[in-house]
């Protein structure tokens, strides 16, 4: 049986003021309520109450993973470089990877995710189709060297994560394993009390045929997603697609040069010609693995470099610099147009469809051209969705204007396919006696992120307000101050504890009732039971932390209510 948590003995220090560096609600409240403390940038220590919340989330995740037949393991966080060299991810991760050498000069890394190691484990342990399917998972600390760790535990350089991996011999088996995880994730987030959305996502460097994110809407979220108010479409902005529709461009006249001095930007060009920016064609130059590539989008839209990078992954995408124009007479800075770009690959957003006419650079200083028609005057090498999605863009499914919202990514599931199995030649002996290449899925839940997401979604102006299954206790008993009240508070706490109720009791001497009440609301346990002015009569006050509803009850009635 768990013991009553007595605040007179608990290591907890609450704060009245927000930390000076805190910008988000979870950061402010988790520190003020004594759940976490900052150790270094992006590195957090979990104090007793915080550790209980973290473990409660872990318990839910573990139960639902076990329920789908997944087997828990624990792999090392310190990993050899060779495993990540085999998939190319040692270089692909770039500065995000923590790298180190041992005393003998061998290269290691701190694991950001464990696809490679799980693949090697299965290759070592499974040799026949009879050994599969199998789902393995772990709940472990991960490491990523974030350039700007922020938002408290929401974006750290060290974080808790559940990662699981499925191994099947057929694509149909992979889909079944994926569906099992999807259903389990829905149950997990429902039990945690997280409002969430399942959205289409891009697989990016992970590869694979399907990918979905689980997002918790919150103003502090770093992800932007779209939601259609008329149908069930929802997607990460990087996964939103726009269908190219060609138009009849035969009515447009021939290309005509325009004298446009000192108009190197879309804004100056549109103002000079008195046309909307949407009539112009913006051509952004980037370098893809060092090669200059032009990206065309309507002048009133911005290129989403993250989206472009996902499309072109694992190639490295970066903006050109002034030095890149040196020796390139075909590239006139500020006046680039797609017509005549023979030495440059041209990528365009689907809105630059065949037959559309544009005002764009004429590849001559202080000169633009009009009536430049896609498909007539220039060819597009690749059509890719690369614009920043905006509110009101048409839903790919039904055409209704999309809504934009911010959210925290709390889970991500991938159908990886055979990318990692190919890297390690993960084969098993099939039913026909021949080797069969295994296909994989990868599934992650941010456990410490879930703490932050819950704090963001459930807190109010008084403090944290945890769902019951996640809270560090079921009831927070407050002794209003006098000896009789403290005696009653401890007695009712023991009765509740004996009945299996998790109890936090504020029995601190020398602390005013006002401070205790403020701390109780800040800490956020679902029920607050106060031994106050009617303690001599054996009467206590029960308060619902979320609704604020209060009720006076006898001790027997309160115990019965809280143990029902």
């Amino acid at each position: 049986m768990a013991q009553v948590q007595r605040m007179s003995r608990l290591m907890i220090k609450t704060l009245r003021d927000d930390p000076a560096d805190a910008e988000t609600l979870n950061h402010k409240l988790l520190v003020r309520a004594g759940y976490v403390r900052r150790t270094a940038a992006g590195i957090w220590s979990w104090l007793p109450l915080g550790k209980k919340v973290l473990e409660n989330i872990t318990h839910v995740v573990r139960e639902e993973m076990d329920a789908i037949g997944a087997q828990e393991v624990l792999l090392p966080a310190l990993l050899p470089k060779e495993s990540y060299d085999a998939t190319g991810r040692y270089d692909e991760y770039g500065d995000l990877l923590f790298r180190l050498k041992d005393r003998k000069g061998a290269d290691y890394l701190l694991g950001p995710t464990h696809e490679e190691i799980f693949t090697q484990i299965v290759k070592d342990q499974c040799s026949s189709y009879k050994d599969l399917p199998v789902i393995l998972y772990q709940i472990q600390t991960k490491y990523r060297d974030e350039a700007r760790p922020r938002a408290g535990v929401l974006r750290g350089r060290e974080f808790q994560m559940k990662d699981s991996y499925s191994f099947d011999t057929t694509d149909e088996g992979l889909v079944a394993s994926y569906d099992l995880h999807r259903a389990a994730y829905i149950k997990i987030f429902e039990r945690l009390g997280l409002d969430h959305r399942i959205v289409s996502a891009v697989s990016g460097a992970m590869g694979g045929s399907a990918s979905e994110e689980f997002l918790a809407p919150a103003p502090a979220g770093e992800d932007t997603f779209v939601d259609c108010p008329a149908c069930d479409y929802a997607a990460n902005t990087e996964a939103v697609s726009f269908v190219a529709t060609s138009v009849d461009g035969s009515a447009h006249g021939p290309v005509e040069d325009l004298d446009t001095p000192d108009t190197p930007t879309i804004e100056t060009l549109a103002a000079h010609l008195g046309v909307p920016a949407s009539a112009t064609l913006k051509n952004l130059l980037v370098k893809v693995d060092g090669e200059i590539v032009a990206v065309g989008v309507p002048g009133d839209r911005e290129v989403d470099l993250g989206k472009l990078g996902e499309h072109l992954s694992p190639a490295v995408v970066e903006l050109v610099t002034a030095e890149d124009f040196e020796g390139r007479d075909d590239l006139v800075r500020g006046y680039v147009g797609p017509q005549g770009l023979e030495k440059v690959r041209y990528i365009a957003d689907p809105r630059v469809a065949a037959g559309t006419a544009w005002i764009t650079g004429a590849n001559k200083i202080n000169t633009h051209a009009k009536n430049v028609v896609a498909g007539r005057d220039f060819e597009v090498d690749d059509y890719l969705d690369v614009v920043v999605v905006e509110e009101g863009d048409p839903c790919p499914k039904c055409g209704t204007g999309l809504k934009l919202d911010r959210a925290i990514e709390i889970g991500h599931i991938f159908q990886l396919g055979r990318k990692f199995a190919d890297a390690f030649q993960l084969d098993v002996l099939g039913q026909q006696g021949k080797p069969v290449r295994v296909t994989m899925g990868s599934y992650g839940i941010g456990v410490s992120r879930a703490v932050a997401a819950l704090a963001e979604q459930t807190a109010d102006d008084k403090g944290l307000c945890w769902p019951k299954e996640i809270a560090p206790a079921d009831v927070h008993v407050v002794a209003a101050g006098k000896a009789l009240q403290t005696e009653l508070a401890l007695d009712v706490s023991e009765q509740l504890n004996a009945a299996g109720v998790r109890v936090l009791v504020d029995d601190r001497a020398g602390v005013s009732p006002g401070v205790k009440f403020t701390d109780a609301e800040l800490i956020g346990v679902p029920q607050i039971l106060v031994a106050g002015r009617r303690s001599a009569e054996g009467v206590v006050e029960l308060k619902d932390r979320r609704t604020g509803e209060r009720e006076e009850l006898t001790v027997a009635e309160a115990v019965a209510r809280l143990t029902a």
Side-chain angles (χ1 to χ4, degrees):
M1 181 187 299
Q3 291 187 334
V4 172
Q5 302 174 78
R6 297 179 61 167
M7 289 185 68
S8 61
R9 302 172 184 171
L10 185 68
M11 191 178 74
I12 182 172
K13 181 180 180 181
T14 58
L15 305 174
R16 297 279 78 85
D17 299 318
D18 295 333
D21 61 339
E23 300 175 353
T24 57
L25 192 59
N26 86 85
H27 187 175
K28 296 172 183 177
L29 293 179
L30 289 173
V31 172
R32 283 185 52 205
Y35 284 76
V36 299
R37 282 295 183 271
R38 181 182 181 273
T39 301
I43 303 173
W44 293 87
S45 296
W46 293 84
L47 304 183
L49 291 183
K51 184 64 164 58
K52 286 185 178 293
V53 170
L54 196 63
E55 286 300 318
N56 290 340
I57 291 176
T58 299
H59 175 73
V60 171
V61 172
R62 182 173 283 117
E63 280 195 344
E64 296 300 337
M65 290 306 299
D66 290 348
I68 64 171
Q71 303 174 56
E72 185 172 8
V73 298
L74 181 61
L75 303 189
L78 182 63
L79 304 172
K81 173 179 180 285
E82 291 78 13
S83 298
Y84 287 74
D85 276 338
T87 58
R89 294 209 299 172
Y90 189 81
D91 294 323
E92 286 175 18
Y93 262 106
D95 293 338
L96 275 177
L97 207 60
F98 280 104
R99 307 162 199 266
L100 62 155
K101 292 180 181 291
D102 68 8
R103 65 181 65 195
K104 297 178 181 179
D107 289 306
Y108 290 84
L109 61 111
L110 294 178
T113 182
H114 276 69
E115 282 80 4
E116 286 86 350
I117 311 303
F118 272 89
T119 305
Q120 290 177 303
I121 288 287
V122 171
K123 181 179 176 67
D124 176 68
Q125 297 290 311
C126 301
S127 58
S128 168
Y129 73 93
K130 296 177 182 179
D131 299 323
L132 302 179
V134 67
I135 297 172
L136 303 175
Y137 79 97
Q138 65 175 346
I139 300 171
Q140 197 219 41
T141 303
K142 307 289 187 183
Y143 301 88
R144 292 177 191 169
D145 192 4
E146 297 284 354
R148 292 176 294 278
R150 57 176 294 277
V153 299
L154 187 57
R155 191 174 185 86
R157 296 194 290 170
E158 175 185 283
F159 52 94
Q160 292 288 310
M161 180 177 170
K162 186 285 300 177
D163 53 323
S164 56
Y165 305 88
S166 63
F167 298 85
D168 290 271
T169 56
T170 66
D171 293 339
E172 293 77 13
L174 169 58
V175 171
S177 295
Y178 183 92
D179 290 343
L180 278 175
H181 276 85
R182 194 179 194 274
Y185 276 34
I186 292 171
K187 290 181 181 178
I188 287 168
F189 296 130
E190 286 178 348
R191 284 182 61 183
L192 295 182
L194 274 167
D195 176 25
H196 67 279
R197 305 285 188 276
I198 305 174
V199 305
S200 300
V202 293
S203 297
M206 293 290 285
S209 59
S211 171
E212 289 178 297
E213 288 179 342
F214 290 74
L215 302 179
E222 294 180 315
D223 278 45
T224 304
F225 75 101
V226 297
D227 209 357
C228 179
C231 72
D232 61 355
Y233 180 79
N236 185 298
T237 53
E238 292 182 351
V240 177
S241 60
F242 183 87
V243 179
T245 304
S246 60
V247 298
D248 183 4
S250 61
H252 297 296
V255 174
E256 180 182 340
D257 283 356
L258 304 172
D259 185 28
T260 53
D262 301 319
T263 57
T265 67
I266 294 296
E267 292 75 16
T268 55
L269 174 64
H272 179 82
L273 296 178
V275 299
S278 59
T280 68
L281 179 62
K282 179 185 298 182
N283 300 288
L284 179 71
L285 297 182
V286 298
K287 289 187 292 186
V288 179
D289 282 346
E291 178 188 353
I292 293 180
V293 172
V295 182
V297 300
D300 62 338
R301 306 301 291 259
E302 297 297 327
V303 175
D304 186 330
L305 290 175
K307 205 171 182 179
L308 179 63
E310 290 285 356
H311 280 303
L312 300 178
S313 179
V316 176
V317 178
E318 54 188 337
L319 292 173
V320 298
T321 63
E323 290 74 23
D324 293 311
F325 287 89
E326 294 177 3
R328 292 295 300 264
D329 294 338
D330 57 326
L331 301 177
V332 182
R333 194 174 187 182
Y335 298 89
V336 172
Q339 68 282 13
L341 285 182
E342 297 179 357
K343 301 177 182 178
V344 175
R345 176 185 175 193
Y346 194 74
I347 294 172
D349 187 79
R351 293 163 180 82
V352 188
T356 55
W358 306 91
I359 299 170
T360 189
N363 301 308
K364 294 183 283 188
I365 191 70
N366 293 328
T367 309
H368 284 81
K370 71 175 183 179
N371 297 328
V372 179
V373 179
R376 185 192 72 180
D377 303 310
F378 67 93
E379 296 296 331
V380 174
D381 294 309
D382 298 286
Y383 276 107
L384 299 175
D385 288 292
V386 293
V387 301
V388 174
V389 176
E390 296 180 355
E391 185 106 1
D393 279 352
C395 170
K397 192 171 181 179
C398 73
T400 303
L402 294 169
K403 299 292 183 183
L404 288 175
D405 205 353
R406 304 290 296 174
I408 298 166
E409 182 184 339
I410 49 177
H412 205 153
I413 55 178
F414 298 88
Q415 291 182 28
L416 288 180
R418 295 174 174 82
K419 173 181 177 178
F420 292 89
D422 287 342
F424 294 99
Q425 296 183 324
L426 174 55
D427 297 326
V428 296
L429 192 64
Q431 294 187 47
Q432 307 304 318
K434 297 180 179 179
V436 174
R437 183 61 44 98
V438 173
T439 184
M440 291 173 56
S442 174
Y443 318 89
I445 287 179
V447 176
S448 49
R449 274 181 154 260
V451 176
L454 278 167
E456 292 285 340
Q457 285 192 343
T458 62
D460 59 20
D461 59 350
K462 297 180 177 65
L464 298 164
C465 196
W466 301 110
K468 181 178 179 180
E469 192 161 5
I470 305 310
D474 298 318
V475 58
H476 187 149
V477 180
V478 178
K482 297 179 181 178
L484 176 63
Q485 295 161 337
T486 300
E487 182 180 344
L488 181 62
L490 291 173
D491 179 64
V492 71
S493 295
E494 291 297 341
Q495 291 185 52
L496 290 167
N497 185 63
V501 177
R502 299 172 301 139
V503 181
L504 173 66
V505 57
D506 193 343
D507 61 335
R508 294 175 293 176
V511 178
S512 71
V515 170
K516 290 184 177 182
F517 297 148
T518 299
D519 280 351
E521 292 185 318
L522 177 63
I523 290 168
V525 171
Q527 298 289 334
I528 301 172
L529 189 66
V530 180
R533 57 186 177 82
R534 297 189 63 187
S535 292
E537 305 169 51
V539 175
V540 292
E541 180 185 80
L542 182 63
K543 176 182 176 181
D544 185 286
R545 171 65 185 85
R546 183 169 299 283
T547 66
E549 295 178 0
R550 304 167 185 262
E551 186 177 4
E552 288 192 334
L553 303 167
T554 65
V555 168
E557 290 171 337
V559 171
R561 179 76 59 82
L562 291 168
T563 56

